[in-house]
Amino acid sequence: MMVSIHRLSVTNTDAHGVALVLPGAGYTAQAPLLYWPLRALTQAGWDVWGIDWHSDIDETTFRDVQGFVEEALARADEVLPKAPQVVLAKSFGTFGLPYFAHRDVRAAWLTPILTDPVVADALANVSAGAHLGVGGTADPAWRPDLVGNTGARLVTVKDADHGLEETTAPWREASARQLGIIGKVVGHLLEY
């Protein structure tokens, strides 16, 4: 595995600590649900890092996604200047939930794969108030009923798919809804 771990913030600021972005399999840190929160973190003085595993993902990866993500996170532990205190993840990246469930982090898990029992169990056992999970009713992977009682705050977006978009809505309305989701994520990560 040769995943790339690199700084996403423009400068090496460290007013608050290290934040780590775990993208989706096809959803990069440049996509809106990750880009705007990472930009907000950077502007707030966080040292933001990301894992780029896109060129490493192939059909064999999906036989052991959990192992792949944990190996990438172990590599990130070697590269990051210190342990992340903030985690932002999307879809594939939410397989990092078990890795961070019992660590002292503030995290936002966008479209977590709750149909995977390991991910659902990890979300069920996170510390109260520190974790946010967001998914849509049109996303088959968003199954909060499989989590049970949790310390995480769960937000369900009506009619949103796995990209947290309502694809049948006019573009202005759909983009405004995504901006609302981004606002909730940023507010949680920065504790507004």
Side-chain angles (χ1 to χ4, degrees):
M1 171 188 290
M2 295 301 295
V3 298
S4 171
I5 292 102
H6 55 281
R7 182 171 276 120
L8 299 173
S9 46
V10 179
T11 59
N12 181 8
T13 62
D14 189 9
H16 296 289
V18 172
L20 181 61
V21 177
L22 308 174
Y27 199 94
T28 70
Q30 288 77 38
L33 293 170
L34 297 178
Y35 173 77
W36 292 111
L38 81 82
R39 184 168 171 190
L41 286 163
T42 300
Q43 289 179 348
W46 287 84
D47 186 12
V48 183
W49 290 72
I51 296 181
D52 182 353
W53 43 41
H54 298 98
S55 61
D56 293 287
I57 295 174
D58 59 25
E59 65 277 349
T60 61
T61 305
F62 291 98
R63 288 187 217 136
D64 183 16
V65 176
Q66 193 65 51
F68 178 89
V69 170
E70 286 182 7
E71 189 177 330
L73 290 170
R75 176 148 162 57
D77 282 342
E78 296 170 2
V79 174
L80 296 176
K82 59 184 173 184
Q85 294 127 310
V86 166
V87 176
L88 171 63
K90 170 77 173 82
S91 188
F92 185 90
T94 68
F95 281 90
L97 238 162
Y99 195 82
F100 290 107
H102 300 292
R103 295 180 184 219
D104 186 22
V105 298
R106 176 163 284 283
W109 307 100
L110 306 178
T111 64
I113 311 299
L114 298 181
T115 51
D116 185 286
V118 175
V119 175
D121 185 57
L123 190 58
N125 291 297
V126 297
S127 40
H131 297 264
L132 170 70
V134 183
T137 59
D139 179 3
W142 180 247
R143 293 281 311 276
D145 58 301
L146 298 176
V147 174
N149 202 10
T150 179
R153 187 172 129 233
L154 302 181
V155 174
T156 300
V157 183
K158 187 177 184 304
D159 299 324
D161 63 12
H162 195 64
L164 290 174
E165 288 185 72
E166 185 183 348
T167 56
T168 58
W171 74 269
R172 286 184 196 275
E173 183 181 323
S175 64
R177 287 186 73 192
Q178 268 209 336
L179 186 57
I181 294 165
I182 290 166
K184 286 179 184 181
V185 170
V186 170
H188 174 77
L189 293 177
L190 296 178
E191 299 181 85
Y192 288 154

